[in-house]
Amino acid sequence: MLAWLMFGTAAAAAPPPVATSPAPRSVAVTVYRAPGRGADQAMDLRWLNGFALVTETRRISIPAGESDVRFEGVAGGILPESAIVSGFPGGVVEKNRDAWLLSPASLLDASLGRRVHLRRTSLATGAVRETEAVVRSSADGAVVLETPHGIEGLRCDGLRSTLLYDRVPAGLSATPTLSVRVRSPRAVRATVTLSYLASGFDWQADYVARLSPDGASMDLFAWLTLANGDETGFRQADTQAVAGRINRSSYSPRRPQAPPLVLRCWPSGTTTSDLEEQVFEKEELEISGSRMMMDVMPVMEAPMPAPPPPPPPMMMARQEDLGDLKLYRIPERVTVSARSQKQVALLAREKVKVETVYRIEAYAPNPGGGGGEVALPVTRILTTDNSVAAGLGLPLPSGGLVLFGTGRARPILLGRGSIEDKAVGEEVEIRVGSASSVTARAVRLFPGEGEGGDWELTVTNAQPAPVRFEAVLAEGSMQLISETALGRRDGRPLWAVTIPANGRATLRYRFGGS
């Protein structure tokens, strides 16, 4: 009876079998923009705040009964609570994200109490001695080993020592891993779909515009720029990007851990200045007699390149409706590499009608607070309608813009700006920088009258052609002296005028009086 009880206890404590899926057969990646990033704010490649929806199809054999299934190669920023797994006959019992990646430090920690092979090399003679050892402690990089000769500290004898492992301990993986426990009524080879959200992605539109010599039109081109800040890449992925605002709370997942190995030793009769601290972030790992080099690429001499073939037709993202959002689908499968950016064409339009406007934003009627003369910054703005008649007529996702002009021998940079999310039919304004040929000054006419008084706003055009000028006025206690009618823009008073070539225009007003 006691033997049967012991057998039953051991059987109950035995872990379930493990089935491993090393990589997906196919994968789809949908990237969402960082919700708090403005159109004029570039992506921070070191800290991407967007996210992606990853859908993988995998083929895996599972035994009958309860087993652990390991999905290797998922994104490191996976949110395990968002994972949806379908295709198992009996469903999923639990989910876990394995956070420890294979590295010299994690391999050593996972080998605590296990037998390893110790190889010592004399730095003076090159002689090699080998023995078996058991890892007894690895706290703070001070590795304590037990050998047939007793207890000793690793590399405390002045010899070059290397630990060799016969296998990778359970729970360590060279790639981020999601594990699930499943129950199946029978052994089966199943096609499984895994979908999950992952942090560390972002995308944006990058516009390039070329202004015509007469300034009446521009050729507009845009790149769809995807950024993957994750340690996992996705080969030949069906890739999309979604434009629009998604309501998503801030969440920072615990990233998979792969710490470096830091070895420290202070043997008797020496000081800390006698020995150097040794850090091994990508140390050679020897497992089962073979050598696995981590993140090391051979240096090969490249052959002479062949003549380039003719360029293929441009691959351009296709726009689709996704409820209130817009989805941009890349028509071919592409590889979204780890820690990298990818660009595909987003749109191209020629001869888009534009008009140049020079504007003062939120101009206060009393700019100097009682001073005598104030220079006011004037912004150059390109305006157009997002319509087919103007040469557009398609949704414009937000992003930065670089504006070029036509020089004698090559394009010249005219300015940088940005485009907000614009639907079809909306007015599009692109601020491309400060104006130098159109200037504005506010002058107090009678300086000795205390606060308030009469002011004159003078705008000068140094160009050989007329320009359109606008001053968006801040609300305040002001009375016009000039016989000028004001309009409205966004609920605020607007002075709009066409300034002749090499001419000027003035606006007189009284502030703080009747």
Side-chain angles (χ1 to χ4, degrees):
M1 180 65 70
L2 180 60
W4 277 106
L5 288 174
M6 294 177 63
F7 175 79
T9 302
V18 176
T20 300
S21 171
R25 299 180 66 184
S26 63
V27 61
V29 180
T30 303
V31 181
Y32 294 79
R33 293 187 308 201
R37 185 168 56 83
D40 57 347
Q41 188 177 3
M43 295 184 295
D44 185 355
L45 300 180
R46 297 169 299 178
W47 190 255
L48 296 174
N49 287 316
F51 59 98
L53 172 63
V54 182
T55 300
E56 304 175 353
T57 301
R58 297 177 180 243
R59 188 82 173 158
I60 187 170
S61 298
I62 55 175
E66 192 169 285
S67 61
D68 287 337
V69 178
R70 291 170 55 85
F71 296 104
E72 295 182 345
V74 298
I78 182 175
L79 307 181
E81 67 276 14
S82 71
I84 300 175
V85 186
S86 60
F88 289 117
V92 176
V93 179
E94 65 180 36
K95 296 181 294 184
N96 297 284
R97 201 271 306 273
D98 300 333
W100 284 99
L101 296 180
L102 181 62
S103 71
S106 61
L107 181 59
L108 181 62
D109 290 340
S111 300
L112 188 64
R114 300 179 183 274
R115 186 168 297 231
V116 296
H117 193 78
L118 176 62
R119 176 183 295 166
R120 292 188 177 96
T121 303
S122 173
L123 300 179
T125 65
V128 177
R129 292 186 292 118
E130 299 186 0
T131 185
E132 298 297 313
V134 176
V135 181
R136 292 305 183 190
S137 174
S138 61
D140 297 327
V143 181
V144 177
L145 302 174
E146 182 179 359
T147 69
H149 306 288
I151 303 294
E152 61 180 87
L154 181 64
R155 296 185 179 172
C156 290
D157 52 7
L159 301 178
R160 178 70 176 181
S161 302
T162 302
L163 295 180
L164 285 72
Y165 306 84
D166 61 350
R167 62 185 178 88
V168 176
L172 293 183
S173 174
T175 58
T177 302
L178 176 75
S179 64
V180 298
R181 182 160 295 181
V182 301
R183 293 193 184 102
S184 177
R186 63 189 184 281
V188 65
R189 183 163 178 80
T191 299
V192 179
T193 300
L194 169 64
S195 298
Y196 57 87
L197 295 177
S199 64
F201 294 80
D202 206 348
W203 79 274
Q204 67 185 21
D206 288 302
Y207 294 90
V208 180
R210 186 163 183 168
L211 195 64
S212 63
D214 60 3
S217 66
M218 67 178 180
D219 295 337
L220 184 65
F221 179 85
W223 292 104
L224 189 159
T225 304
L226 298 168
N228 175 12
D230 200 86
E231 57 264 42
T232 300
F234 303 93
R235 292 181 57 81
Q236 295 300 302
D238 183 11
T239 308
Q240 300 85 228
V242 173
R245 300 295 180 184
I246 302 294
N247 185 19
R248 178 173 180 265
S249 60
S250 177
Y251 178 72
S252 298
R254 185 166 62 96
R255 308 290 296 185
Q257 302 294 314
L261 174 60
V262 181
L263 297 181
R264 300 181 178 90
C265 183
W266 294 272
S268 177
T270 66
T271 65
T272 55
S273 61
D274 295 327
L275 296 176
E276 296 182 357
E277 183 181 84
Q278 296 173 322
V279 181
F280 305 91
E281 294 188 1
K282 299 174 182 177
E283 182 179 275
E284 183 179 272
L285 307 182
E286 298 194 20
I287 302 175
S288 300
S290 65
R291 296 187 177 185
M292 179 172 62
M293 298 296 295
M294 303 185 68
D295 295 345
V296 176
M297 294 292 294
V299 178
M300 301 180 64
E301 184 176 353
M304 292 296 293
M314 181 178 295
M315 179 175 64
M316 186 167 293
R318 298 170 182 169
Q319 180 220 310
E320 302 175 10
D321 291 331
L322 189 65
D324 293 334
L325 307 174
K326 299 298 179 183
L327 183 142
Y328 296 92
R329 185 185 303 277
I330 299 176
E332 301 176 11
R333 291 183 176 271
V334 296
T335 296
V336 184
S337 301
R339 294 189 176 93
S340 68
Q341 295 184 79
K342 177 172 289 295
Q343 287 188 316
V344 297
L346 179 63
L347 62 88
R349 291 292 187 271
E350 295 182 350
K351 300 186 183 306
V352 178
K353 297 178 182 178
V354 295
E355 184 178 1
T356 301
V357 178
Y358 296 88
R359 182 183 298 166
I360 297 174
E361 299 282 356
Y363 165 61
N366 187 20
E373 184 175 348
V374 179
L376 303 172
V378 179
T379 303
R380 184 184 182 188
I381 302 172
L382 294 181
T383 66
T384 185
D385 292 324
N386 191 4
S387 63
V388 176
L392 288 174
L394 74 169
L396 300 176
S398 66
L401 178 141
V402 180
L403 179 66
F404 291 94
T406 303
R408 292 184 178 179
R410 62 185 65 87
I412 57 174
L413 178 65
L414 297 181
R416 295 176 178 269
S418 61
I419 296 179
E420 300 285 346
D421 285 321
K422 293 295 180 180
V424 175
E426 287 191 290
E427 183 181 7
V428 179
E429 292 189 348
I430 307 170
R431 290 165 173 79
V432 293
S434 300
S436 58
S437 59
V438 178
T439 58
R441 304 188 74 83
V443 179
R444 189 174 183 185
L445 299 179
F446 307 105
E449 292 187 353
E451 297 295 329
D454 294 349
W455 287 79
E456 182 177 79
L457 173 62
T458 302
V459 183
T460 303
N461 174 23
Q463 298 187 27
V467 299
R468 175 182 160 192
F469 176 83
E470 295 179 351
V472 181
L473 308 177
E475 296 286 358
S477 176
M478 65 173 293
Q479 176 185 358
L480 291 183
I481 301 175
S482 305
E483 295 182 1
T484 303
L486 297 182
R488 306 288 293 184
R489 174 181 288 277
D490 299 330
R492 293 183 296 180
L494 173 70
W495 178 43
V497 63
T498 298
I499 305 176
N502 298 310
R504 64 178 56 194
T506 60
L507 175 70
R508 290 191 175 187
Y509 58 90
R510 178 172 294 122
F511 178 75
S514 58

